[in-house]
Amino acid sequence: MMNISIAMATYNGARFIRQQLDSLAAQTLSPCELVVTDDGSTDATLNIIADFAKTAPFPVRVFENETTLGFADNFMKAASLCIGDYIAFCDQDDYWLRNKLEYASRPFVDEEVLSSVHSACIVNENLDDTGRRYPDIRVDHIHQAFEGNPWKTSIPGFALLVRASLLRCAIDWRYRPFAPQPPKEMHKGNQMVSHDHLIYMLSHTLGKTAFIAVPLACYRMHDNNIFGEPLNDEGKHTPDSFFKRTYKSRGIGEPHYRFMANVAEQRAQWMAENCDKLAPAFVEKARLASAYWKAQRKQYLTRAEIYGRDVNFARKVAAVRSLLGGHAYRAPEQGGFGWRAFAKDITFGLVL
């Protein structure tokens, strides 16, 4: 029997939280506990949780934050208080299907799997299925360490189940690496990576990550979502064509790539500084992860050269050749920029 803790971060969630709590109680694989950290709710959230705790089939532990933490730190605090061998993150406004924990836990028979992430149905506030999925995982698969897009951001916390050892390896959750920012958000400066992206970053570089195509939860869309369903710039749910995406990215240049290089450098330093604090099984992998992020930094600095205003044509050509020689234009799922990036660099970096 797997000991799974559920980490729930709450803030003024009275509108939907009872449905979510009832879905936790209905799990075919019951958790060993529910840990709730509340970030200063002023509605009936805490009263609803207290009422649920009276009849819950598992212990419910509630912690009220003395100061406001924000959603990411609140989730990390909840995870730090869990006692289970595995931790499932739980949003206050979603709805779990009955077999979520049972199904999501199956890949962990492989001891090298550090996290699993599943697909989910996107529903409206009444739990009516919209026919869309987020995450939209098409087939079951397992990524080895360093396999897959290192910058992947479509891994929401509610779809994650993680080995607690990954978060209990003496890493201070209040000191996290920087998050990559879209070009439009760079003016906000460096911000710590969120809890779900941190887990993916660690799982991606320290072990295996399992992806499950079966939807195991209902991701509820309503007017108070912190984050909604990812859309393109026109508000559509379908991706743009190759050529349109390449054209629209023409304004992304040297500042963005240097920013990303700084993020990669900080991640490399963070891994290196924490190597000796990790569980023995992770130490050597963390050193490899530090080298991996240093290589990412070098790629971004080289790409920044292509768009530098004071860089002559010969140096720009040399930068493209260097990236080609280093296989930096391999697919994003292999840790590269992708061939669309190559087309962009040639068109908007060299020609125009």
Side-chain angles (χ1 to χ4, degrees):
M1 179 69 69
M2 296 182 66
N3 290 323
I4 301 176
S5 294
I6 297 177
M8 173 184 274
T10 60
Y11 176 70
N12 286 348
R15 183 179 176 190
F16 300 115
I17 196 169
R18 183 68 205 212
Q19 282 185 315
Q20 175 68 301
L21 293 171
D22 289 341
S23 76
L24 306 186
Q27 289 296 298
T28 55
L29 175 59
S30 186
C32 66
E33 64 173 348
L34 168 64
V35 175
V36 179
T37 48
D38 185 79
D39 218 17
S41 292
T42 56
D43 63 2
T45 296
L46 291 173
N47 291 334
I48 295 171
I49 296 171
D51 183 67
F52 170 78
K54 295 175 183 177
T55 57
F58 43 76
V60 178
R61 297 192 290 137
V62 180
F63 301 84
E64 298 182 50
N65 299 334
E66 295 181 358
T67 58
T68 301
L69 296 180
F71 86 98
D73 281 3
N74 199 19
F75 268 115
M76 291 304 295
K77 178 181 177 181
S80 73
L81 295 168
C82 291
I83 63 172
D85 297 324
Y86 304 85
I87 299 172
F89 291 91
C90 181
D91 291 350
Q92 64 186 6
D93 50 2
D94 295 333
Y95 187 86
W96 287 10
L97 303 186
R98 295 183 68 249
N99 62 340
K100 171 181 159 71
L101 292 182
E102 179 184 353
Y103 209 108
S105 64
R106 292 179 184 178
F108 291 92
V109 294
D110 182 343
E111 294 185 356
E112 294 185 14
V113 170
L114 299 181
S115 70
S116 70
V117 56
H118 62 77
S119 184
C121 304
I122 299 176
V123 299
N124 64 18
E125 61 183 32
N126 298 317
L127 297 180
D128 298 320
D129 195 345
T130 65
R132 299 188 300 275
R133 300 289 180 265
Y134 175 65
D136 189 8
I137 301 169
R138 302 300 177 89
V139 294
D140 291 354
H141 60 285
I142 294 180
H143 278 171
Q144 306 293 320
F146 304 109
E147 183 182 0
N149 187 346
W151 301 102
K152 198 175 187 73
T153 57
S154 58
I155 306 291
F158 75 86
L160 279 167
L161 179 62
V162 59
R163 285 191 192 272
S165 58
L166 191 66
L167 298 177
R168 292 191 191 129
C169 43
I171 295 178
D172 187 348
W173 58 266
R174 290 159 294 192
Y175 168 54
R176 304 193 298 278
F178 295 148
Q181 300 290 344
K184 295 179 181 179
E185 302 292 328
M186 287 195 305
H187 67 279
K188 297 180 180 179
N190 291 323
Q191 300 180 41
M192 287 194 298
V193 69
S194 61
H195 64 292
D196 40 11
H197 295 168
L198 173 66
I199 290 169
Y200 175 73
M201 185 193 83
L202 291 172
S203 183
H204 170 261
T205 53
L206 300 180
K208 297 178 181 179
T209 306
F211 293 84
I212 301 170
V214 176
L216 298 178
C218 295
Y219 177 54
R220 193 193 310 251
M221 301 298 298
H222 56 87
D223 52 5
N224 289 321
N225 283 104
I226 295 179
F227 297 105
E229 178 191 2
L231 306 174
N232 63 24
D233 290 344
E234 281 77 33
K236 301 176 183 177
H237 301 283
T238 55
D240 292 324
S241 69
F242 174 90
F243 298 103
K244 188 172 183 179
R245 291 171 64 193
T246 301
Y247 178 76
K248 287 167 62 176
S249 67
R250 68 193 183 281
I252 302 174
E254 182 183 17
H256 174 68
Y257 299 130
R258 292 196 179 280
F259 180 89
M260 293 297 290
N262 289 334
V263 172
E265 179 180 24
Q266 201 267 349
R267 291 187 175 194
Q269 292 175 347
W270 188 83
M271 282 291 189
E273 291 170 2
N274 284 287
C275 277
D276 296 332
K277 302 176 185 177
L278 299 173
F282 296 141
V283 172
E284 184 56 33
K285 292 178 180 178
R287 292 195 178 101
L288 292 174
S290 180
Y292 177 87
W293 288 110
K294 286 179 181 178
Q296 287 283 319
R297 172 184 180 272
K298 183 178 179 180
Q299 287 185 355
Y300 273 102
L301 286 177
T302 302
R303 198 173 183 198
E305 283 269 293
I306 301 170
Y307 296 87
R309 292 183 178 180
D310 299 324
V311 180
N312 62 41
F313 183 75
R315 282 176 58 191
K316 291 184 178 184
V317 171
V320 172
R321 292 180 63 183
S322 175
L323 291 174
L324 279 170
H327 306 288
Y329 292 114
R330 62 193 182 276
E333 286 299 313
Q334 298 174 345
F337 294 126
W339 284 105
R340 182 169 65 88
F342 175 71
K344 173 182 181 291
D345 291 351
I346 293 295
T347 304
F348 299 109
L350 298 184
V351 178
L352 300 181

